[in-house]
Amino acid sequence: MADENKLQLSDVDEKGGAGSPATSAFEPAVATGHVSGLKRRFPGFNLEVRQEESSFAATKSASNADFDPIPPSRRTWNMGAYVAYWMADAWAVSNWEVASSMIDVGLSWKMAIGACVLGNTIMGLVITINGRVGATLHTPFPVLARMPFGYYFSYFVVVSRCVLAIVWLGVQTTTGGQCMTVLLTAIWPSFANIPNHIPASEGISTAGMVGFLLYFLLQLPFLCIPYTKVQHFFAFKSVIAPIIFLAIFGDTLRRAGGTISNSTVITQGTTVHGSALAWAFFGNLNGVLGNYATLGLNIADFSRYANKPSAQNVQAIVIPVIFTIVGLLGIFTAAAAQTAYGQIIWNPIVIINLWMETGTHGGRAAAAFGAIGLIIVTLGINISANSISAANDLMSFCPKYINIRRGQLLAAVIGSWGFVPWKILESASRFLAFLGGYTIFLGPMTSILMTDYYIVRKGNVSVPDMYNFHGMYRYSPRYASNWRAVVAFFIGCIPPLPGFVNNIVVAGNPKSVTGVSLGGQHLFAIGYIYSFIAAGLFYWAFNRFFPHTESIMDHPETGEDVIAANDAKNVEARRASRAERRPSLAVQIFEV
């Protein structure tokens, strides 16, 4: 069988197709094409994106400069950058409110924080361990997915992640639009009285749509900040966001007389007991894990920018610490709000809105600054957790025409207007339940990727083959998929599926009955943990007893020497170009 595969690859080479890893790594770059009509009207624009000389792909249709392994000169993220990244990501409205649903189902606030600490600690370890793959190989998640899944099935994995990222990008844009509406109302109070011409069934008013549109336009330039420099924006947000959320907490606590002990959020203990309490805890633990299961899968999209593999190890500490602090402040602010405003308020945007009700200039100014801060918060979330991930995924389908910047802009348009996110937030409880329960699909994918790299291959992988469609990770000449990964994936996600369906139905109507057994519901309550462990174990077993010997190596092949040599030439060329044209400040900010 191995001889047949070698023969097949030789035939491809002779016909001028994709070469073997050794030859494709050293092939000269393919000249970038152009569209004559566009070039005449826009001399600086090219429909086809730039392809680095060090690309491992045999044709320009298979990769581009952003999709290739990150060269040494662009590995700009150090340990501080990853601290800033997670500081920017953690200070978000969704993380502030994370304990609200836990307390609603009967957990005490202490148990809710316990679930947050445990869940974020587990996810911090998953993200750090999986992130080391990207920090070592410097390739994006869609390329790494080809290693265990094969070419064709990896596209299913990438689509599964891409859709989720785009939807959440739209949802966060809606949240940013709400903050923009608060800002406009604080500056011009008459803005709140704009006549509404949009039906109530749409879930948004005319004023809300204006805020949404303005926020959408505002975020576009931020999405164009290149990945080599975006960590500076994360650092800026990591300073602004804590100030805003601490101000919201401090003012609410002041209005409550400096105490939170009178709130039922604090005084109320657990309202469920026995096995019901245990399963409520595990169900909410699963929710915490699911909150960042997406980044647990595709963290390589960010860890590949690390200046050294150990730079991203700090995530294992930062994630549980900062997310726990944000969750605690959310609980304490909601408790103080009960005394200050007469009701438990979890959403900080609502609290900022209440500052304007005094009618004073000071209240409006505070609301305006608070809204500006939350706008910065949502901008950071959309860049860090959604747009870059979606861009890498979209780029894998059409690297000839889509790079990270174009992918981010395309994802923003689709997520903000194609998925109608304001309606999702207003009425689609079942759709939100679907997004929350999607972890039963993400868990197996993450586990298989980690098991393949660390246990099955022990880090001995070939990066050039990941870019070679006829390389060793094709697995099957006909199906270009690894049956071991496919079967392990379905073993991981199918058993919790009935509980997943039940969760969606009940979310739409709590009185609905699906006939799913209590055991099926309980299995879904630990869906991420089960699917992660089951898929990983079965994938290891399949490779133990039915190994794919053609892809087993005794040493890693990263092509680092080729990448470094070409990077040195590219750096020198860029320096010469800048010396001649003296780029403007805008070019320096947005140039990769």
Side-chain angles (χ1 to χ4, degrees):
M1 186 66 179
D3 292 336
E4 290 174 5
N5 287 339
K6 289 177 183 174
L7 213 83
Q8 200 172 28
L9 289 178
S10 300
D11 291 340
V12 173
D13 292 345
E14 290 170 4
K15 293 174 184 175
S20 65
T23 55
S24 62
F26 295 88
E27 285 179 359
V30 179
T32 305
H34 68 277
V35 178
S36 57
L38 283 174
K39 289 295 279 185
R40 284 196 300 268
R41 297 180 183 179
F42 306 100
F45 179 79
N46 199 329
L47 192 60
E48 296 180 7
V49 299
R50 184 168 52 90
Q51 186 181 30
E52 291 287 1
E53 194 173 330
S54 63
S55 173
F56 295 126
T59 68
K60 58 190 175 185
S61 299
S63 187
N64 60 50
D66 289 346
F67 206 53
D68 283 348
I70 296 297
S73 66
R74 290 175 181 160
R75 299 169 190 171
T76 57
W77 288 34
N78 56 21
M79 186 182 296
Y82 287 98
V83 173
Y85 173 86
W86 285 107
M87 284 283 287
D89 215 54
W91 292 96
V93 173
S94 58
N95 298 321
W96 185 266
E97 299 175 322
V98 71
S100 62
S101 59
M102 302 185 192
I103 294 175
D104 286 344
V105 298
L107 299 186
S108 66
W109 72 271
K110 293 180 180 179
M111 288 194 74
I113 286 298
C116 289
V117 172
L118 180 57
N120 288 317
T121 299
I122 294 172
M123 192 49 61
L125 291 173
V126 170
I127 286 173
T128 303
I129 295 171
N130 200 21
R132 192 172 182 86
V133 183
T136 302
L137 304 180
H138 303 287
T139 53
F141 158 69
V143 174
L144 290 177
R146 297 168 180 174
M147 182 174 59
F149 294 104
Y151 269 88
Y152 285 168
F153 198 73
S154 73
Y155 287 121
F156 167 78
V157 174
V158 171
V159 167
S160 301
R161 171 66 185 98
C162 183
V163 171
L164 211 59
I166 291 176
V167 171
W168 281 119
L169 195 157
V171 169
Q172 283 293 334
T173 301
T174 304
T175 302
Q178 294 170 352
C179 298
M180 182 65 75
T181 302
V182 172
L183 174 61
L184 295 174
T185 305
I187 299 174
W188 299 287
S190 60
F191 182 78
N193 301 322
I194 291 179
N196 181 38
H197 301 288
I198 300 177
S201 60
E202 292 300 314
I204 194 170
S205 64
T206 299
M209 181 58 75
V210 172
F212 179 87
L213 175 61
L214 291 176
Y215 177 85
F216 171 78
L217 295 174
L218 173 67
Q219 77 175 343
L220 294 182
F222 289 92
L223 297 181
C224 293
I225 300 175
Y227 55 81
T228 54
K229 300 168 184 175
V230 73
Q231 71 270 27
H232 302 306
F233 177 73
F234 293 152
F236 171 69
K237 184 203 162 181
S238 68
V239 174
I240 296 297
I243 293 174
I244 295 301
F245 281 104
L246 286 171
I248 294 171
F249 167 65
D251 181 77
T252 309
L253 187 64
R254 177 188 64 81
R255 293 171 187 263
T259 180
I260 60 174
S261 58
N262 298 326
S263 172
T264 56
V265 174
I266 303 299
T267 59
Q268 179 179 285
T270 56
T271 57
V272 292
H273 305 280
S275 62
L277 175 61
W279 285 111
F281 178 84
F282 282 119
N284 284 283
L285 172 64
N286 193 63
V288 174
L289 292 171
N291 198 25
Y292 278 88
T294 49
L295 277 170
L297 174 62
N298 74 298
I299 187 61
D301 287 339
F302 302 93
S303 63
R304 71 187 187 122
Y305 305 132
N307 58 3
K308 56 183 178 180
S310 61
Q312 57 94 46
N313 292 350
V314 71
Q315 297 175 116
I317 299 172
V318 172
I319 291 173
V321 170
I322 190 61
F323 277 79
T324 300
I325 292 173
V326 173
L328 269 173
L329 285 174
I331 291 173
F332 294 157
T333 303
Q338 188 172 15
T339 302
Y341 299 107
Q343 57 181 317
I344 299 172
I345 303 175
W346 290 98
N347 192 337
I349 300 175
V350 175
I351 294 177
I352 289 177
N353 247 321
L354 291 173
W355 291 352
M356 290 188 289
E357 290 191 356
T358 60
T360 63
H361 293 297
R364 286 169 50 199
F369 283 114
I372 292 172
L374 290 181
I375 286 172
I376 295 172
V377 166
T378 54
L379 283 172
I381 291 289
N382 259 354
I383 296 172
S384 63
N386 300 320
S387 68
I388 292 180
S389 300
N392 276 286
D393 297 338
L394 290 171
M395 186 166 55
S396 69
F397 295 103
C398 196
K400 184 177 180 180
Y401 300 107
I402 299 177
N403 56 15
I404 287 182
R405 181 173 294 170
R406 293 181 186 180
Q408 286 181 278
L409 296 175
L410 180 60
V413 171
I414 297 172
S416 300
W417 303 103
F419 282 100
V420 200
W422 54 85
K423 200 159 186 175
I424 291 176
L425 282 179
E426 179 65 22
S427 59
S429 56
R430 289 184 177 179
F431 190 67
L432 290 174
F434 170 80
L435 293 178
Y438 205 74
T439 55
I440 65 170
F441 304 106
L442 300 178
M445 296 173 185
T446 307
S447 179
I448 290 169
L449 185 61
M450 293 169 63
T451 302
D452 185 79
Y453 181 79
Y454 286 105
I455 300 177
V456 175
R457 306 187 189 281
K458 298 179 174 58
N460 296 321
V461 300
S462 171
V463 173
D465 268 286
M466 296 179 196
Y467 290 89
N468 181 0
F469 191 77
H470 295 280
M472 65 173 68
Y473 302 123
R474 185 176 176 87
Y475 292 101
S476 166
R478 181 176 181 182
Y479 299 106
S481 298
N482 183 5
W483 68 264
R484 302 158 192 82
V486 176
V487 175
F489 168 76
F490 285 112
I491 289 175
C493 69
I494 287 178
L497 203 55
F500 174 56
V501 174
N502 176 78
N503 186 55
I504 296 173
V505 173
V506 172
N509 181 6
K511 296 181 180 179
S512 298
V513 178
T514 60
V516 177
S517 67
L518 194 60
Q521 296 176 36
H522 288 167
L523 185 59
F524 175 72
I526 56 170
Y528 184 85
I529 297 173
Y530 162 80
S531 62
F532 186 95
I533 294 174
L537 283 175
F538 275 93
Y539 183 72
W540 169 81
F542 289 146
N543 280 278
R544 175 71 175 80
F545 295 105
F546 310 100
H548 183 257
T549 55
E550 294 88 342
S551 63
I552 300 300
M553 303 172 62
D554 58 6
H555 67 281
E557 176 57 60
T558 63
E560 184 69 15
D561 52 344
V562 180
I563 299 171
N566 282 285
D567 184 46
K569 289 190 292 184
N570 291 332
V571 169
E572 190 60 36
R574 285 197 296 269
R575 285 175 181 168
S577 175
R578 287 170 184 165
E580 292 176 2
R581 57 188 170 89
R582 302 188 65 179
S584 64
L585 178 62
V587 171
Q588 293 180 48
I589 293 174
F590 294 108
E591 187 178 48
V592 179

